[in-house]
């Protein structure tokens, strides 16, 4: 398993240390702290009924943000349902992520400059689509990549293999990230496959496979950066398995992890926490302090408050709006139904 | 004008659009050097190169995922599903993903994809090759489902499908591929998706149909004419959305209708036409609208196909029931 920072925040793989400036290192930390706060707030807002569908991310910050940080703005992200932080840090306004969560269609109307898809609900569908986006980028002569995310459960889907195989066959610039957070809802990874690692599944598709410490933000960053370089240089796609853990439930829709996880296991993984170890590393370089951390926490809380306000202020969604966006040009049947709903909504 | 079979007209449409628009890509299993198992893409790879017309690995879900991704990056994919029974392998890609792209993104993204596939019975294929699954497709909001019955229609409808910014399922009846030739203009032309065509005018009875059953119905109409019954034959050409204006107008004139489909009775399109006639023209009817369909079994083994498929005598018989009601 590829690692750069150990649990004590010490460099254990000096040769692999990525070339990041002090500001970039601080930015990585800032994003992880911010996302942890956002996750806590989102869970609380969900419990108050002020957000809709939400899949907690705490424990996966290094995996999510380290990999996104290695991308260029033009790169495409095809996220799974949990991978909202990556698309927000790629440019999706936070209030739109909240609208998506509430089931409002403006949450999917991404700004023009944000090359990303809406979070995918069908496990694995994003993986075959990534092969297509990556081939499209290659055929258009772009120096950019398509990256996609799924969990360890997603690695059992047929689409996981089809997507890797297609991208491999076309040498398309794709990066497949499997965030092995140890459970597919309740089923542990050991029960999902007899394969020793998920990374080794790359062998069947003839592409590179790397297992990374997903709680080590520097390792995830470095591995993704290298995968990106290989992809744009025509050396084919990479499968990254990031070993991580989700501290919370699968989603906020009734999952209770105490039914299938022991607190010992939670404690064991919390010792590997990505924020703790990176904080220690940055503090040893005098790049982080309690004061800096508090600033980020306050900023995150303020931003979330403002985003929720903007979410609340967004005009209510109408069925007639939804009828209008079904097709580029409305067919006759929908034209009639549009009139019916406009009338109903005018009452 | 050239005399073309339906498959030649289909190839001609793809060639025309590959020439017109460099973003058009044709891909699927065996469509490259082999030119497709029915030769629909014959010669296209040679003419346009491997970047524009290419083989895929053998995996339908991968093919439609590829189409969706290519569509997002500015291409106009024309993907082939080798036989339409294989669409089950990618129902998510077709009905769950490309059909919903525009809706999910509030109109920001779209899927300008044409899914071409041979389908339909009467040519003694193995299982899951001939199935009439258009009802399944027509039930998925976000898809248009086009089924041409003549070479002329096939070219115009395929050009319109490739130019459409929403996903179109373009189903090519295998029995019609080489069954006859007709005049097809060499220049480009489009036929509007969602518009039915009156293939024969009549005043006594409306026969609503599509695909290979258009020809079965025309044959039945000739027989009926010998007995003094003038049937109007409407070719839907698109089964989603349905052109009910044309159908209802005809029913108002003839006051009687039957719906003829090759698919099983439970398979949707015919039932939808009957329901819409009820909604819009029930007071014009002199008799209930009856259906001619296949029975509600799985598509039969080859040796039973000829009996299982509706034929023109079934259409004549059902038409007389309605006339004599």
């Amino acid at each position: 398993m590829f690692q750069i920072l150990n649990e004590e925040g010490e460099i254990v793989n000096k040769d692999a240390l990525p070339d990041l400036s002090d500001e970039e290192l601080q930015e990585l930390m800032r994003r992880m702290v911010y996302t942890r706060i956002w996750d806590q707030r989102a869970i609380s807002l969900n419990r108050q009924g002020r957000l809709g569908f939400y899949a907690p991310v705490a424990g996966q910050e290094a995996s999510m943000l380290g990999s996104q940080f290695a991308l260029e703005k033009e790169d495409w992200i095809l996220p799974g349902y949990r991978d909202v932080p990556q698309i927000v840090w790629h440019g999706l306004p936070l209030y739109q992520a909240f609208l998506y969560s509430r089931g409002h269609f403006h949450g999917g109307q991404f700004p023009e400059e944000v090359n990303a898809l809406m979070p995918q609900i069908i496990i694995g569908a994003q993986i075959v689509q990534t092969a297509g986006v990556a081939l499209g980028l290659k055929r258009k002569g772009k120096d950019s990549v398509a990256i996609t995310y799924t969990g360890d459960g997603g690695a059992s889907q047929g689409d996981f293999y089809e997507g890797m195989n297609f991208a491999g066959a076309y040498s398309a610039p794709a990066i497949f990230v499997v965030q092995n957070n140890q459970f597919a809802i309740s089923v542990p990874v050991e029960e999902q496959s007899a394969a020793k690692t998920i990374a080794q599944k790359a062998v069947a598709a003839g592409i590179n496979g790397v297992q990374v410490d997903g709680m080590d933000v520097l390792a995830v960053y470095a591995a993704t950066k290298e995968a990106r370089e290989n992809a744009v240089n025509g050396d084919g796609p990479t499968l990254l398995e990031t070993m991580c853990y989700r501290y919370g439930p699968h989603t906020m829709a009734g999952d209770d992890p105490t039914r299938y996880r022991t607190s010992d296991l939670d404690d064991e993984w919390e010792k590997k926490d990505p924020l703790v170890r990176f904080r220690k590393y940055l503090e040893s370089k005098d790049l982080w302090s309690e004061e800096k951390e508090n600033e980020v926490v306050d900023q995150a809380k303020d931003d979330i408050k403002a985003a929720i306000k903007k979410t609340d202020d967004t005009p209510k969604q109408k069925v007639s709006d939804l009828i209008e966006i079904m097709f580029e040009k409305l067919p006759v049947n929908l034209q009639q139904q549009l009139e019916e709903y406009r009338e109903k909504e005018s009452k | 004008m050239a005399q073309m079979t339906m498959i030649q007209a289909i190839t001609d449409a793809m060639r025309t659009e590959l020439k017109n628009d460099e973003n058009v890509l044709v891909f699927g299993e065996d469509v490259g050097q082999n030119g497709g198992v029915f030769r629909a893409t014959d010669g296209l790879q040679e003419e346009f190169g491997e970047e524009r017309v290419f083989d895929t690995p053998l995996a339908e879900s991968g093919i439609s995922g590829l189409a969706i991704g290519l569509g997002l990056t500015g291409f106009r994919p024309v993907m082939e599903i080798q036989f339409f029974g294989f669409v089950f392998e990618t129902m998510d890609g077709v009905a769950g993903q490309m059909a919903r792209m525009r809706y999910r993104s509030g109109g920001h993204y779209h899927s300008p994809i044409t899914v071409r596939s041979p389908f339909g019975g009467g040519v003694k294929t193995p299982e899951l090759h001939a199935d009439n699954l258009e009802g399944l497709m027509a039930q998925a909001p976000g898809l248009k489902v086009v089924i041409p019955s003549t070479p002329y229609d096939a070219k115009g409808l395929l050009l319109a499908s490739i130019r459409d910014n929403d996903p179109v399922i373009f189903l090519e009846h295998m029995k019609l591929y080489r069954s006859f030739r007709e005049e097809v203009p060499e220049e480009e032309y489009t036929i509007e998706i969602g518009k039915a065509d009156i293939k024969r005018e009549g005043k006594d009875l409306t026969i609503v149909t599509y695909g290979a059953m258009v020809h079965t119905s025309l044959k039945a109409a000739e027989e009926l004419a010998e007995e003094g019954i003038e049937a109007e034959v409407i070719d839907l050409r698109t089964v989603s959305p349905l052109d009910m204006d044309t159908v209802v107008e005809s029913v108002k004139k003839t006051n009687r209708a039957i719906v003829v489909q090759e698919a099983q009775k439970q398979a949707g399109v015919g039932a939808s036409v009957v329901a819409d006639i009820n909604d819009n023209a029930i007071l014009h009817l002199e008799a209930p609208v009856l259906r001619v369909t296949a029975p509600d079994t799985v598509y039969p083994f080859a040796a039973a196909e000829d009996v299982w498929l509706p034929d023109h005598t079934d259409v004549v018989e059902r038409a007389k029931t309605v006339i004599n009601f």
Side-chain angles (χ1 to χ4, degrees):
Chain A
M1 185 170 71
F2 178 59
Q3 190 186 50
I4 294 174
L5 269 184
N6 68 12
E7 290 168 28
E8 299 311 314
E10 299 155 352
I11 301 293
V12 292
N13 187 349
K14 206 160 177 264
D15 295 345
L17 197 62
D19 183 20
L20 287 167
S21 68
D22 289 351
E23 289 72 28
E24 285 170 319
L25 291 169
Q26 286 168 319
E27 178 61 15
L28 260 179
M29 186 64 194
R30 190 181 82 79
R31 290 184 181 193
M32 288 205 291
V33 172
Y34 191 114
T35 305
R36 179 72 57 92
I37 296 298
W38 160 18
D39 190 61
Q40 289 165 357
R41 288 294 297 141
I43 289 169
S44 146
L45 287 162
N46 174 282
R47 289 193 176 126
Q48 296 163 32
R50 298 184 67 197
L51 269 193
F53 175 81
Y54 184 71
V57 302
Q60 296 189 210
E61 293 92 343
S63 167
M64 290 174 163
L65 308 179
S67 55
Q68 192 279 326
F69 203 66
L71 302 178
E72 299 295 327
K73 181 69 190 163
E74 296 73 29
D75 293 340
W76 276 77
I77 300 179
L78 290 90
Y81 50 83
R82 200 183 304 283
D83 305 303
V84 179
Q86 294 97 308
I87 54 177
V88 166
W89 289 113
H90 209 54
L92 180 70
L94 191 54
Y95 88 97
Q96 282 191 267
F98 289 157
L99 281 171
Y100 170 80
S101 166
R102 285 187 185 182
H104 190 297
F105 78 102
H106 183 50
Q109 290 174 319
F110 283 18
E112 209 54 57
E113 75 283 2
V114 179
N115 288 336
L117 274 194
M118 301 70 69
Q120 178 57 253
I121 297 298
I122 297 299
I123 315 284
Q126 71 274 31
I127 301 172
V128 283
Q129 292 168 21
T130 296
V133 172
L135 181 61
L137 295 172
K138 182 180 172 179
R139 290 280 169 87
K140 292 274 180 193
K142 312 255 187 202
D143 284 329
S144 42
V145 302
I147 190 169
T148 189
Y149 296 87
T150 190
D152 39 299
S156 301
Q157 283 279 359
D159 274 355
F160 170 70
Y161 173 72
E162 289 190 28
M164 285 195 301
N165 190 54
F166 270 59
Y170 296 122
S171 194
I175 303 171
F176 305 98
V177 183
V178 173
Q179 302 186 82
N180 183 346
N181 67 16
Q182 313 303 317
F183 290 90
I185 303 190
S186 66
V187 182
V189 67
E190 309 82 59
E191 290 179 33
Q192 292 166 47
S193 176
K196 277 192 183 154
T197 70
I198 291 172
Q200 78 190 51
K201 296 192 178 199
V203 174
I207 69 173
N208 300 315
V210 184
Q211 194 184 49
V212 190
D213 183 343
M215 306 298 258
D216 171 1
V217 74
L218 292 180
V220 175
Y221 172 83
T224 315
K225 191 89 180 157
E226 189 179 342
R228 192 188 179 283
E229 275 164 23
N230 287 341
V232 294
N233 290 337
D235 296 331
T238 299
L239 166 64
L240 294 176
E241 178 188 14
T242 59
M243 303 299 285
C244 56
Y245 198 72
R246 76 169 140 82
Y247 296 152
H250 166 65
T251 71
M252 295 302 293
D255 177 42
D256 172 11
T258 64
R259 291 170 71 99
Y260 53 86
R261 259 177 13 203
T262 62
S263 55
D264 285 352
L265 190 64
D266 289 347
D267 293 346
E268 193 189 308
W269 277 93
E270 274 176 35
K271 285 185 203 141
K272 303 178 187 188
D273 191 280
L275 276 67
V276 173
R277 95 169 63 166
F278 198 48
R279 188 182 290 124
K280 281 182 185 165
Y281 172 66
L282 291 185
E283 280 171 352
S284 76
K285 289 170 66 89
D286 248 349
L287 292 173
W288 202 251
S289 63
E290 205 178 325
E291 195 190 350
K292 268 203 166 61
E293 177 122 351
N294 287 337
E295 271 173 33
V296 180
V297 171
D298 290 344
Q299 183 68 55
K301 286 180 176 170
D302 287 349
D303 288 358
I304 291 160
K305 208 170 155 187
I308 281 289
K309 169 92 173 50
K310 203 166 172 187
T311 308
D312 291 340
D313 291 345
T314 302
K316 219 175 133 195
Q317 174 171 272
K318 293 186 288 190
V319 173
S320 55
D321 294 336
L322 300 178
I323 292 176
E324 280 187 276
I325 56 172
M326 271 305 300
F327 291 97
E328 186 178 46
K329 276 188 272 178
L330 272 192
V332 175
N333 58 331
L334 280 175
Q335 235 152 34
Q336 288 160 353
Q337 290 161 27
L338 179 64
E339 282 160 31
E340 281 168 34
Y341 275 87
R342 277 198 179 139
E343 160 117 32
K344 198 172 165 185
E345 284 160 352
S346 70
K347 284 174 188 162
Chain B
M1 248 193 269
Q3 290 277 328
M4 288 189 203
T5 60
M6 192 159 106
I7 199 144
Q8 286 170 331
I10 286 165
T11 312
D12 190 49
M14 281 188 275
R15 179 181 291 113
T16 301
E17 215 47 11
L18 279 160
K19 259 186 213 157
N20 271 344
D21 184 348
E22 61 178 18
N23 287 314
V24 172
L25 301 176
V26 172
F27 55 91
E29 295 158 10
D30 303 302
V31 305
Q33 195 178 359
N34 197 37
V37 290
F38 288 96
R39 306 289 176 262
T41 52
D42 203 15
L44 296 181
Q45 187 178 67
E46 203 179 1
E47 192 174 342
F48 297 98
E50 288 176 23
E51 292 257 309
R52 307 281 311 282
V53 180
F54 56 95
D55 290 323
T56 62
L58 200 161
E60 285 74 18
S61 189
I63 293 170
S64 58
L66 197 76
I68 292 164
L70 288 165
L72 289 167
T73 47
F75 288 101
R76 306 191 76 81
V78 181
M79 57 170 268
E80 180 175 299
I81 292 183
Q82 199 159 51
F83 290 92
F84 205 54
F86 308 168
V87 78
F88 289 121
E89 296 283 340
T90 184
M91 274 305 282
D92 178 54
V94 173
Q97 302 293 327
M98 63 179 75
R100 302 161 67 103
M101 183 65 77
R102 185 181 291 282
Y103 189 79
R104 293 182 68 224
S105 66
H108 181 62
Y109 294 122
H110 55 249
S111 292
I113 299 164
T114 305
V115 180
R116 280 188 46 251
S117 184
F119 85 117
V123 293
K124 308 280 193 287
T125 55
E127 286 186 85
L128 285 159
H129 285 62
D131 294 46
N132 288 275
L133 302 173
E134 66 275 14
L136 212 55
M137 296 295 116
Q139 286 209 354
L143 297 178
K144 296 175 186 176
V145 185
V146 172
I147 303 177
S149 70
T150 67
Y152 178 87
D153 286 359
K155 180 172 173 180
L157 285 165
L158 184 52
L159 279 170
S161 301
I162 299 172
R163 291 174 190 180
D164 201 293
N165 276 336
D166 289 306
V168 179
I169 311 296
F170 191 89
L171 296 176
E172 303 162 5
H173 200 289
M174 284 183 269
K175 209 172 174 181
L176 298 180
Y177 268 152
R178 294 185 169 85
S179 59
F180 67 100
R181 290 172 187 273
E182 72 175 358
E183 297 271 305
V184 175
E186 272 152 59
E187 62 269 24
E188 55 186 273
Y189 61 93
T190 56
I191 292 174
E192 190 183 343
I193 294 170
K195 277 273 177 254
D197 185 38
I198 299 173
K199 289 280 192 275
R200 177 193 170 108
E201 299 216 11
K203 60 179 176 35
D204 301 322
L205 165 81
T206 301
I207 301 176
V208 185
T209 187
Y210 57 93
M213 286 294 129
V214 169
H215 304 281
T216 304
S217 299
L218 286 168
K219 193 172 171 190
E222 271 173 38
E223 268 193 39
L224 288 165
E226 285 167 20
E227 299 185 38
I229 301 166
E230 291 300 330
E232 180 145 296
V233 178
I234 296 180
D235 177 359
L236 288 170
R237 297 197 295 201
T238 301
V239 298
S240 179
L242 289 168
D243 177 7
M244 287 311 297
D245 288 347
T246 300
V247 173
V248 167
E249 202 181 318
S250 172
V251 170
K252 284 179 178 169
K253 178 175 72 175
T254 62
N255 310 115
R256 289 176 176 83
I258 61 170
V259 186
V260 182
Q261 68 181 25
E262 187 175 296
Q264 295 88 333
K265 193 168 192 178
Q266 67 184 51
V269 172
S272 202
V273 172
V274 175
D276 272 2
I277 293 174
N278 279 340
D279 285 353
N280 296 294
I282 196 157
L283 294 177
H284 294 271
L285 289 174
E286 297 288 344
V289 182
L290 299 183
R291 281 175 284 170
V292 178
T293 71
D296 290 329
T297 69
V298 166
Y299 192 89
F301 301 108
E305 249 181 349
D306 294 344
V307 183
W308 190 88
L309 289 166
D311 65 15
H312 73 283
T313 57
D314 299 323
V315 179
V316 167
E317 193 188 314
R318 202 58 52 93
K320 284 184 181 171
T321 307
V322 169
I323 293 285
N324 298 321
F325 180 77

